[in-house]
Amino acid sequence: MADIIYTHTDEAPLLATYSLFPILKEFLSRGDIDIQTMDISLSGRILANFGDYLKDDQKIPNYLEILGQMTNDPKANIIKLPNISASLPQLNAAIDELRSKGYMVPLYPAEPKNEQEQDIKSRYAKVLGSAVNPVLREGNSDRRCAAAVKAYAKEFPHKNGAWNNDIKTRVAYMDDGDFYSNEKSLIGEENSEFSIIFQDQNGQKQTMKSGIKVACGDVLSATFMSADKLDKFIAQSIEDAKSNNLLYSVHLKATMMKVSDPVIFGHFVKVYFKEIFDKFGEELEKLGVVANNGLKDLFARIENSPLKDQILAKFDEIYAKNPDLAMVDSDNGITNLHVPSDIIIDNSMPNMIRNSGKMWDKNGEVKDTLAVIPDKTYATIYEAMIDELKINGALNPAVIGSVSNVGLMAKKAEEYGSHDKTFIAKENGKFILTNGKKSLEFDVQKGDIFRAMQAKDEAIKDWIKLAINRAKATKSATIFWLDENRAHDANLIKIVNAELKNYDLNGLDISVLEPTKAITKSLEIIRSSKDSISVTGNVLRDYLTDLFPIMELGTSAKMLSIVPLLNGGGLFETGAGGSAPKIAKQLLDENHLRWDSLGEFLALGASLEHLYNTSGKKGAKILADTLDKAIQSYLKNDNSPRKSVGENDNRGSHFYLTLYWANELANSDLSDKFKDLAKMLNENKEAIANELNGNQGNAVDLGGYYKFDDIKATKIMRSSEIFNKALEK
């Protein structure tokens, strides 16, 4: 096993890897450290799962499976970059691209007709949505802002949009029939196995899933969303937006919540465009239209339909009378309902809030918005923040403190581990989650969305311990964001309160607050220039580690995310992938990559520190210390990527980091291995910068989107011959 594993992923992070990884490999090799890549990209995961369909020279190892096994090794040291959590349209697009390149993986069978197609669909299920994170996250999350990054943000603050009571933007969510209101939960009292059973109205039972292992102390929860009440809520919210002249925007997580949220997304499409599905339903069904895939797929499928013009005319009628849809891309007519993976709530909501609560309409103008988040569970945190901002005004990045996070995510914790326990009711009946002694039962109607989830005792206790350790290390106010009125959280509160009695909490400020009070308290703390630690479940971890960093830093890509693995290894996550598609598109159009690799720099530093602490390798300590100083110079000199063509971009930022790091190493115990490189980089500094910036401006061909051509991508991302030769020497 290499000393450090660096993941090969997708889109903008992968483009950055073509530039950055050769630098890292060269520097670390001079410190006698081996760093290697493993491919967990969407295309890589597809190929790994269908080797029996490929030629021998096309087959690749199942690196995700290998990394999953590695997480149990105390020596594990993994740097994980953001990857595509694929929606079904993305999966189909990747399959089509691979087949066009001669990789004859099977087509995705939406409705399997035989055992072979059922096997294919089951294998693709391992690729869809949050396939990567539950496998690698065998530990809880410690996500925070590095001191140097926070200092930079205060010295060079970004702008947050103004807020006041005149802004009409608000959040809409269900008051009944959602996951929040229907949830039931229990704490395991012994080691046992639960099953999910569906019982129809005639009493016939079908086992949907068996072998759900629940140990003593585990929290097992289940719930469902009413399809009928969801549709009624959507219809009401559309009227609400129209009567108040608000943009209509939907915010879901159809990537990570790969089973439930695409279905919810489909309900929005079908209700907003009800007349289309009522009038042309037979034709749409014949064409294979699935509302869950969004409007982009629908428009593509009707292209050759004899009813195309009639369908498009009806769309125009609906657009004219319904509230305007928020736009993902106004210039190209891409609405909020075009592609399910375009409306990732943890990215879309913070950026809307940062933009004074406004989103873009079809004319490219900003407008107040009705942010529709059907499930109440986490919608209220955004509502509470908007209410606070209307009263107290925008957050000032130059003075506010920081909100870090300790997140419960080990052992496939909570909602993000629910995919294999999520089902759509095919008829009226009852879902029963039972081990023969204890049961959670739910009466459901056809179309209702049922899901079950659990949090393991070991993971919960480790999460609490990590929170206490961070509280002691920082002396910051530490808040467990748990809602006693939610069944799952109520059981977690019991465990938290019992566990806290085992710790010396003298001098610590630790509290348990329901999420709306927690966010209000956190805002009060950071407005006073102090710091707070949010201790949350997995989904809130995801949401808050975008929400607060976007307010504080302008992006969540600059956060440091450390996952101490339960068996002693380390997982170091970088950045956030919500903006990766747009950034990749700019490179394709203009050969300018504004992806900021600061997250990768920080993760590498933490990884090297971990390597030194676990192996005693002196080179790791020298490289870590000098990298930290190089990052400080990088920030002080403001070498982050810019947005516009011709300016410093991702490649230039890598050069400057390399320059500063080489300069630091030239004055270290590794001087003999770096002094010549430092001299060469300093002498050619201007020429290298000119080469990197001078190649921008034109569209480029990467040989694909889901699977780049390595030669083409390398040439594009390593575009300075002087820089390349300096590293080679």
Side-chain angles (χ1 to χ4, degrees):
M1 181 169 65
D3 294 313
I4 298 173
I5 300 297
Y6 195 92
T7 58
H8 172 110
T9 58
D10 306 276
E11 296 176 321
L14 175 55
L15 288 166
T17 298
Y18 278 100
S19 167
L20 182 59
F21 186 74
I23 298 167
L24 304 186
K25 191 167 182 63
E26 178 62 29
F27 270 58
L28 268 61
S29 69
R30 299 185 188 197
D32 296 323
I33 294 167
D34 182 26
I35 183 170
Q36 300 292 339
T37 60
M38 287 193 180
D39 186 351
I40 58 168
S41 66
L42 174 56
S43 64
R45 303 197 307 271
I46 293 171
L47 296 177
N49 277 281
F50 290 96
D52 50 329
Y53 286 76
L54 303 175
K55 299 173 185 176
D56 287 344
D57 63 348
Q58 294 177 327
K59 296 178 181 180
I60 65 171
N62 191 329
Y63 287 116
L64 181 57
E65 188 176 279
I66 293 168
L67 285 173
Q69 295 167 356
M70 265 189 199
T71 60
N72 294 310
D73 190 323
K75 295 180 181 178
N77 192 320
I78 304 166
I79 297 175
K80 181 199 167 291
L81 279 67
N83 60 277
I84 291 176
S85 295
S87 63
L88 189 54
Q90 287 175 304
L91 176 67
N92 283 322
I95 292 169
D96 289 344
E97 181 180 307
L98 287 170
R99 288 170 65 88
S100 74
K101 293 174 178 284
Y103 297 89
M104 300 312 293
V105 294
L107 296 172
Y108 177 80
E111 297 181 5
K113 297 180 178 62
N114 51 50
E115 287 187 14
Q116 182 185 15
E117 289 192 352
Q118 185 58 56
D119 173 65
I120 292 169
K121 185 175 183 180
S122 297
R123 287 203 244 174
Y124 274 127
K126 298 176 182 178
V127 176
L128 275 167
S130 57
V132 171
N133 292 337
V135 175
L136 297 189
R137 288 173 171 170
E138 280 295 301
N140 292 308
S141 169
D142 171 10
R143 192 159 165 82
R144 58 187 188 266
C145 180
V149 175
K150 187 64 176 178
Y152 171 83
K154 288 188 172 185
E155 186 174 353
F156 301 99
H158 69 275
K159 291 183 179 179
N160 284 329
W163 276 88
N164 56 55
N165 268 316
D166 294 331
I167 294 172
K168 296 192 295 180
T169 290
R170 53 189 170 82
V171 177
Y173 50 82
M174 297 170 71
D175 289 325
D176 185 36
D178 60 347
F179 294 126
Y180 178 88
S181 61
N182 289 323
E183 191 169 68
K184 298 177 183 179
S185 181
L186 59 84
I187 299 176
E189 296 177 351
E190 59 182 352
N191 293 348
S192 64
E193 288 193 3
F194 278 73
S195 297
I196 298 172
I197 296 167
F198 181 77
Q199 178 178 306
D200 67 20
Q201 291 180 302
N202 297 319
Q204 295 295 313
K205 295 182 178 180
Q206 178 186 0
T207 300
M208 309 300 292
K209 184 176 180 64
S210 59
I212 302 171
K213 295 183 179 183
V214 177
C216 182
D218 290 0
V219 177
L220 179 66
S221 307
T223 185
F224 74 96
M225 178 176 281
S226 164
D228 179 63
K229 290 181 179 179
L230 172 63
D231 286 346
K232 289 176 179 176
F233 161 74
I234 295 170
Q236 291 169 356
S237 66
I238 291 170
E239 287 303 313
D240 184 0
K242 182 179 179 181
S243 62
N244 289 284
N245 192 29
L246 296 171
L247 274 183
Y248 192 78
S249 65
V250 181
H251 303 267
L252 296 166
K253 188 81 170 183
T255 50
M256 296 290 279
M257 297 307 300
K258 63 183 180 181
V259 181
S260 60
D261 282 26
V263 175
I264 298 171
F265 179 85
H267 278 269
F268 277 95
V269 173
K270 285 185 286 188
V271 175
Y272 191 96
F273 297 102
K274 185 176 186 298
E275 295 163 70
I276 296 283
F277 288 88
D278 286 348
K279 185 172 182 178
F280 303 103
E282 188 175 326
E283 174 70 3
L284 296 179
E285 186 176 353
K286 185 173 71 175
L287 295 170
V289 169
V290 178
N292 301 2
N293 296 339
L295 298 182
K296 181 180 178 181
D297 182 71
L298 185 152
F299 290 142
R301 290 180 183 275
I302 67 170
E303 189 61 34
N304 297 317
S305 168
L307 301 180
K308 174 187 172 183
D309 291 342
Q310 293 180 51
I311 295 172
L312 292 179
K314 180 58 71 173
F315 266 104
D316 289 340
E317 287 181 30
I318 294 170
Y319 281 134
K321 70 178 183 180
N322 274 355
D324 286 345
L325 285 172
M327 305 297 287
V328 172
D329 184 345
S330 302
D331 292 340
N332 293 299
I334 307 301
T335 73
N336 195 242
L337 295 179
H338 261 64
V339 183
S341 53
D342 275 351
I343 54 168
I344 302 174
I345 182 173
D346 45 315
N347 182 264
S348 60
M349 281 301 295
N351 280 298
M352 184 198 80
I353 293 171
R354 186 187 168 195
N355 196 35
S356 303
K358 294 172 170 54
M359 296 186 76
W360 282 264
D361 68 9
K362 60 189 175 185
N363 300 314
E365 298 177 356
V366 293
K367 187 175 178 180
D368 287 354
T369 303
L370 184 68
V372 186
I373 307 170
D375 181 37
K376 180 182 178 181
T377 307
Y378 305 114
T380 55
I381 67 161
Y382 297 112
E383 179 182 52
M385 175 172 257
I386 287 171
D387 289 345
E388 197 273 353
L389 293 172
K390 286 181 179 180
I391 295 170
N392 297 314
L395 295 166
N396 181 357
V399 299
I400 60 173
S402 185
V403 179
S404 58
N405 180 267
V406 174
L408 172 59
M409 66 181 196
K411 300 290 183 183
K412 301 182 182 180
E414 305 190 306
E415 289 97 335
Y416 287 166
S418 68
H419 314 309
D420 61 346
K421 298 179 281 293
T422 299
F423 303 96
I424 313 303
K426 293 185 178 180
E427 57 184 310
N428 296 351
K430 180 181 291 187
F431 278 107
I432 305 168
L433 181 62
T434 182
N435 67 351
K437 296 180 180 179
K438 282 197 167 187
S439 298
L440 303 176
E441 299 188 9
F442 305 84
D443 292 318
V444 296
Q445 304 295 309
K446 181 179 179 180
D448 289 355
I449 306 166
F450 169 88
R451 73 182 183 208
M453 63 184 191
Q454 66 187 125
K456 304 294 289 181
D457 176 65
E458 177 187 11
I460 296 168
K461 289 176 179 174
D462 178 80
W463 170 63
I464 297 167
K465 179 182 177 182
L466 182 58
I468 300 302
N469 288 342
R470 291 301 303 154
K472 289 180 177 179
T474 64
K475 304 301 181 187
S476 298
T478 301
I479 304 171
F480 285 84
W481 295 45
L482 296 169
D483 183 355
E484 65 181 1
N485 294 314
R486 179 189 172 196
H488 177 79
D489 281 9
N491 278 331
L492 282 180
I493 290 172
K494 292 177 186 176
I495 296 170
V496 168
N497 287 336
E499 280 296 301
L500 290 180
K501 294 176 182 178
N502 298 326
Y503 292 90
D504 178 6
L505 305 180
N506 187 42
L508 302 182
D509 180 2
I510 295 176
S511 57
V512 178
L513 298 175
E514 62 91 4
T516 60
K517 291 181 180 177
I519 199 164
T520 302
K521 180 66 175 177
S522 299
L523 288 167
E524 178 187 331
I525 290 169
I526 65 172
R527 282 186 186 276
S528 67
S529 300
K530 296 178 181 178
D531 298 334
S532 174
I533 300 172
S534 58
V535 190
T536 71
N538 203 349
V539 173
L540 263 183
R541 176 207 63 82
D542 211 5
Y543 292 5
L544 297 185
T545 55
D546 273 308
L547 180 59
F548 282 110
I550 286 174
M551 299 300 116
E552 297 172 29
L553 311 174
T555 175
S556 56
K558 296 179 179 180
M559 294 290 282
L560 175 61
S561 185
I562 300 172
V563 182
L565 298 172
L566 295 178
N567 285 344
L571 175 69
F572 307 92
E573 295 196 63
T574 79
S579 59
K582 287 185 178 179
I583 293 175
K585 186 177 185 301
Q586 186 182 9
L587 179 108
L588 288 165
D589 294 342
E590 301 177 336
N591 195 13
H592 181 88
L593 188 70
R594 67 179 188 272
W595 178 262
D596 191 340
S597 290
L598 180 59
E600 288 95 308
F601 305 160
L602 296 169
L604 177 64
S607 169
L608 288 166
E609 285 281 0
H610 180 74
L611 179 61
Y612 172 70
N613 290 332
T614 55
S615 71
K617 287 196 171 188
K618 186 179 178 183
K621 177 64 172 170
I622 296 169
L623 287 162
D625 291 345
T626 52
L627 176 58
D628 182 63
K629 293 176 182 177
I631 291 171
Q632 292 179 41
S633 296
Y634 170 84
L635 291 168
K636 181 179 179 181
N637 292 308
D638 200 16
N639 295 127
S640 299
R642 300 289 189 259
K643 292 183 178 180
S644 301
V645 169
E647 297 182 313
N648 190 54
D649 80 342
N650 177 264
R651 292 161 287 198
S653 72
H654 294 167
F655 163 66
Y656 285 110
L657 189 280
T658 304
L659 173 67
Y660 302 139
W661 198 6
N663 285 341
E664 295 294 341
L665 284 161
N667 293 297
S668 73
D669 287 347
L670 293 176
S671 173
D672 289 347
K673 296 183 179 181
F674 286 96
K675 61 184 180 182
D676 290 342
L677 174 60
K679 182 175 183 291
M680 188 174 292
L681 294 178
N682 281 287
E683 289 175 349
N684 293 280
K685 177 180 175 181
E686 187 174 341
I688 292 171
N690 288 339
E691 275 190 328
L692 293 172
N693 295 336
N695 288 319
Q696 300 178 32
N698 298 313
V700 295
D701 174 20
L702 290 164
Y705 184 83
Y706 294 99
K707 184 171 176 56
F708 300 148
D709 180 295
D710 286 338
I711 295 174
K712 291 180 178 180
T714 298
K715 185 175 181 180
I716 291 164
M717 292 307 301
R718 302 191 69 198
S719 56
S720 169
E721 288 299 321
I722 302 172
F723 188 23
N724 296 342
K725 288 178 180 177
L727 285 170
E728 289 168 8
K729 288 186 179 180

